[in-house]
Amino acid sequence: MISPKLVVEASQLTFQYKKKFPYILNNVSLNIHEGQIVGIMGLSGSGKSTLIQILNGIIPNRIPGHLSGQVSIHGQSINNQDVDFLARNVGTIFQDPDCQIIFPWAEDELAFGPENLCRPPTEILSTIDQVTRSLNIEHLRYANPNHLSGGQKQIIALASVLTLNVPFMILDESMSQIDDQGREYVKQALLTLKKEGKAILMVEHELENLSIADTIYWLENGHLKKREEV
């Protein structure tokens, strides 16, 4: 049996915002493979957001600090990479879809990312066809997101990342503001992406939201441990 390929390798991440400030992360390592959903939990202020911002390149490219360690995607370091590289490799879905969706039509939202990467119109339309079919949301393609439920909005936000065909997806408490039906809607979409080989990281407060995760970690005092070891 062929082992799934390693997509994300975070090795010995240590971070503090300023010298002499407390360490937010201390020697954190994490691997995520193709078709794997990893969950991370932790109390407020435990460093979950900092870890996300390191994994998607915001730290140290946009937010300064003292970072040691390495993050690689498919064996290529993200350190000092440009926005184009990061956009093609990491997608982040945030807590509030209204902060992420900017267009009045879902199709325009799905086209926005690849348009900014200067992909041909025919390729963009083909990609939208593929993504909406994969997530079973063809019926939402021409919808106004303002008229959709919270769960449907999160699926549109998720789909807008998928049109960039990124191998690694981060969900930052993406189920915290939607109802039970919306959560199940998002979970089913994530299970579809798992089957397609995406590497997925879910950061959540509620354990129930991580029911589809293959492995769950707990972040506390800058250290990351498997939940059963806590």
Side-chain angles (χ1 to χ4, degrees), residues 142-159:
Y142 304 106
N144 183 335
N146 293 321
H147 300 157
L148 300 178
S149 69
Q152 289 172 324
K153 288 179 182 179
Q154 280 293 25
I155 294 294
I156 296 300
L158 186 67

mmCIF file of all heavy atoms in Angstrom, residues 142-159:
data_model
loop_
_atom_site.group_PDB
_atom_site.id
_atom_site.type_symbol
_atom_site.label_atom_id
_atom_site.label_comp_id
_atom_site.label_asym_id
_atom_site.label_seq_id
_atom_site.Cartn_x
_atom_site.Cartn_y
_atom_site.Cartn_z
ATOM 1 N N TYR A 142 -24.959 30.920 -9.135
ATOM 2 C CA TYR A 142 -25.419 32.255 -9.519
ATOM 3 C C TYR A 142 -26.213 32.930 -8.401
ATOM 4 O O TYR A 142 -26.941 33.900 -8.645
ATOM 5 C CB TYR A 142 -26.262 32.160 -10.795
ATOM 6 C CG TYR A 142 -25.517 31.498 -11.934
ATOM 7 C CD1 TYR A 142 -25.829 30.204 -12.329
ATOM 8 C CD2 TYR A 142 -24.474 32.148 -12.577
ATOM 9 C CE1 TYR A 142 -25.127 29.583 -13.354
ATOM 10 C CE2 TYR A 142 -23.769 31.533 -13.598
ATOM 11 C CZ TYR A 142 -24.098 30.251 -13.987
ATOM 12 O OH TYR A 142 -23.399 29.638 -14.992
ATOM 13 N N ALA A 143 -26.038 32.434 -7.187
ATOM 14 C CA ALA A 143 -26.764 32.994 -6.046
ATOM 15 C C ALA A 143 -26.074 34.244 -5.514
ATOM 16 O O ALA A 143 -24.870 34.448 -5.684
ATOM 17 C CB ALA A 143 -26.862 31.957 -4.932
ATOM 18 N N ASN A 144 -26.865 35.088 -4.865
ATOM 19 C CA ASN A 144 -26.328 36.230 -4.130
ATOM 20 C C ASN A 144 -25.989 35.744 -2.724
ATOM 21 O O ASN A 144 -26.871 35.326 -1.979
ATOM 22 C CB ASN A 144 -27.376 37.342 -4.072
ATOM 23 C CG ASN A 144 -26.852 38.592 -3.380
ATOM 24 O OD1 ASN A 144 -25.934 38.538 -2.569
ATOM 25 N ND2 ASN A 144 -27.448 39.732 -3.691
ATOM 26 N N PRO A 145 -24.704 35.764 -2.323
ATOM 27 C CA PRO A 145 -24.326 35.259 -0.993
ATOM 28 C C PRO A 145 -25.076 35.927 0.154
ATOM 29 O O PRO A 145 -25.250 35.319 1.217
ATOM 30 C CB PRO A 145 -22.823 35.561 -0.929
ATOM 31 C CG PRO A 145 -22.373 35.548 -2.348
ATOM 32 C CD PRO A 145 -23.526 36.151 -3.113
ATOM 33 N N ASN A 146 -25.534 37.171 -0.053
ATOM 34 C CA ASN A 146 -26.278 37.852 1.004
ATOM 35 C C ASN A 146 -27.603 37.168 1.319
ATOM 36 O O ASN A 146 -28.193 37.415 2.373
ATOM 37 C CB ASN A 146 -26.544 39.309 0.608
ATOM 38 C CG ASN A 146 -25.270 40.123 0.542
ATOM 39 O OD1 ASN A 146 -24.378 39.962 1.360
ATOM 40 N ND2 ASN A 146 -25.175 40.993 -0.461
ATOM 41 N N HIS A 147 -28.054 36.311 0.403
ATOM 42 C CA HIS A 147 -29.332 35.629 0.591
ATOM 43 C C HIS A 147 -29.150 34.170 1.026
ATOM 44 O O HIS A 147 -30.126 33.430 1.091
ATOM 45 C CB HIS A 147 -30.145 35.669 -0.705
ATOM 46 C CG HIS A 147 -30.447 37.062 -1.168
ATOM 47 N ND1 HIS A 147 -30.736 37.370 -2.486
ATOM 48 C CD2 HIS A 147 -30.496 38.244 -0.496
ATOM 49 C CE1 HIS A 147 -30.946 38.670 -2.601
ATOM 50 N NE2 HIS A 147 -30.797 39.220 -1.410
ATOM 51 N N LEU A 148 -27.918 33.777 1.326
ATOM 52 C CA LEU A 148 -27.627 32.394 1.685
ATOM 53 C C LEU A 148 -27.509 32.232 3.196
ATOM 54 O O LEU A 148 -27.289 33.200 3.933
ATOM 55 C CB LEU A 148 -26.331 31.938 1.016
ATOM 56 C CG LEU A 148 -26.306 31.970 -0.518
ATOM 57 C CD1 LEU A 148 -24.945 31.529 -1.033
ATOM 58 C CD2 LEU A 148 -27.418 31.101 -1.097
ATOM 59 N N SER A 149 -27.620 30.983 3.647
ATOM 60 C CA SER A 149 -27.421 30.685 5.061
ATOM 61 C C SER A 149 -25.936 30.767 5.401
ATOM 62 O O SER A 149 -25.067 30.820 4.509
ATOM 63 C CB SER A 149 -27.939 29.275 5.363
ATOM 64 O OG SER A 149 -27.105 28.298 4.741
ATOM 65 N N GLY A 150 -25.631 30.746 6.699
ATOM 66 C CA GLY A 150 -24.231 30.807 7.125
ATOM 67 C C GLY A 150 -23.414 29.646 6.592
ATOM 68 O O GLY A 150 -22.273 29.819 6.145
ATOM 69 N N GLY A 151 -24.002 28.441 6.628
ATOM 70 C CA GLY A 151 -23.290 27.281 6.111
ATOM 71 C C GLY A 151 -23.040 27.377 4.613
ATOM 72 O O GLY A 151 -21.963 27.023 4.126
ATOM 73 N N GLN A 152 -24.025 27.861 3.879
ATOM 74 C CA GLN A 152 -23.858 28.016 2.433
ATOM 75 C C GLN A 152 -22.792 29.067 2.113
ATOM 76 O O GLN A 152 -22.008 28.907 1.181
ATOM 77 C CB GLN A 152 -25.190 28.394 1.795
ATOM 78 C CG GLN A 152 -26.201 27.247 1.771
ATOM 79 C CD GLN A 152 -27.567 27.697 1.311
ATOM 80 O OE1 GLN A 152 -28.016 28.807 1.605
ATOM 81 N NE2 GLN A 152 -28.268 26.834 0.573
ATOM 82 N N LYS A 153 -22.753 30.138 2.907
ATOM 83 C CA LYS A 153 -21.712 31.150 2.711
ATOM 84 C C LYS A 153 -20.326 30.562 2.939
ATOM 85 O O LYS A 153 -19.374 30.863 2.199
ATOM 86 C CB LYS A 153 -21.935 32.328 3.653
ATOM 87 C CG LYS A 153 -23.115 33.215 3.301
ATOM 88 C CD LYS A 153 -23.240 34.339 4.319
ATOM 89 C CE LYS A 153 -24.434 35.224 4.037
ATOM 90 N NZ LYS A 153 -24.570 36.307 5.046
ATOM 91 N N GLN A 154 -20.195 29.711 3.969
ATOM 92 C CA GLN A 154 -18.890 29.107 4.224
ATOM 93 C C GLN A 154 -18.481 28.191 3.078
ATOM 94 O O GLN A 154 -17.293 28.107 2.738
ATOM 95 C CB GLN A 154 -18.896 28.324 5.539
ATOM 96 C CG GLN A 154 -18.748 29.177 6.789
ATOM 97 C CD GLN A 154 -17.374 29.835 6.901
ATOM 98 O OE1 GLN A 154 -16.687 30.058 5.910
ATOM 99 N NE2 GLN A 154 -16.982 30.187 8.109
ATOM 100 N N ILE A 155 -19.452 27.513 2.472
ATOM 101 C CA ILE A 155 -19.125 26.663 1.328
ATOM 102 C C ILE A 155 -18.650 27.518 0.153
ATOM 103 O O ILE A 155 -17.725 27.144 -0.575
ATOM 104 C CB ILE A 155 -20.338 25.808 0.913
ATOM 105 C CG1 ILE A 155 -20.689 24.812 2.016
ATOM 106 C CG2 ILE A 155 -20.058 25.066 -0.382
ATOM 107 C CD1 ILE A 155 -19.633 23.761 2.259
ATOM 108 N N ILE A 156 -19.261 28.677 -0.050
ATOM 109 C CA ILE A 156 -18.807 29.579 -1.111
ATOM 110 C C ILE A 156 -17.387 30.057 -0.822
ATOM 111 O O ILE A 156 -16.534 30.105 -1.721
ATOM 112 C CB ILE A 156 -19.765 30.779 -1.255
ATOM 113 C CG1 ILE A 156 -21.156 30.321 -1.713
ATOM 114 C CG2 ILE A 156 -19.199 31.806 -2.242
ATOM 115 C CD1 ILE A 156 -21.182 29.602 -3.043
ATOM 116 N N ALA A 157 -17.112 30.415 0.433
ATOM 117 C CA ALA A 157 -15.750 30.825 0.812
ATOM 118 C C ALA A 157 -14.764 29.685 0.575
ATOM 119 O O ALA A 157 -13.657 29.893 0.063
ATOM 120 C CB ALA A 157 -15.725 31.266 2.268
ATOM 121 N N LEU A 158 -15.187 28.472 0.924
ATOM 122 C CA LEU A 158 -14.352 27.292 0.711
ATOM 123 C C LEU A 158 -14.107 27.073 -0.778
ATOM 124 O O LEU A 158 -12.970 26.841 -1.214
ATOM 125 C CB LEU A 158 -15.060 26.086 1.325
ATOM 126 C CG LEU A 158 -14.342 24.746 1.365
ATOM 127 C CD1 LEU A 158 -13.146 24.809 2.298
ATOM 128 C CD2 LEU A 158 -15.302 23.653 1.839
ATOM 129 N N ALA A 159 -15.160 27.185 -1.563
ATOM 130 C CA ALA A 159 -15.045 26.981 -3.011
ATOM 131 C C ALA A 159 -14.143 28.029 -3.648
ATOM 132 O O ALA A 159 -13.405 27.733 -4.598
ATOM 133 C CB ALA A 159 -16.430 27.010 -3.655
#
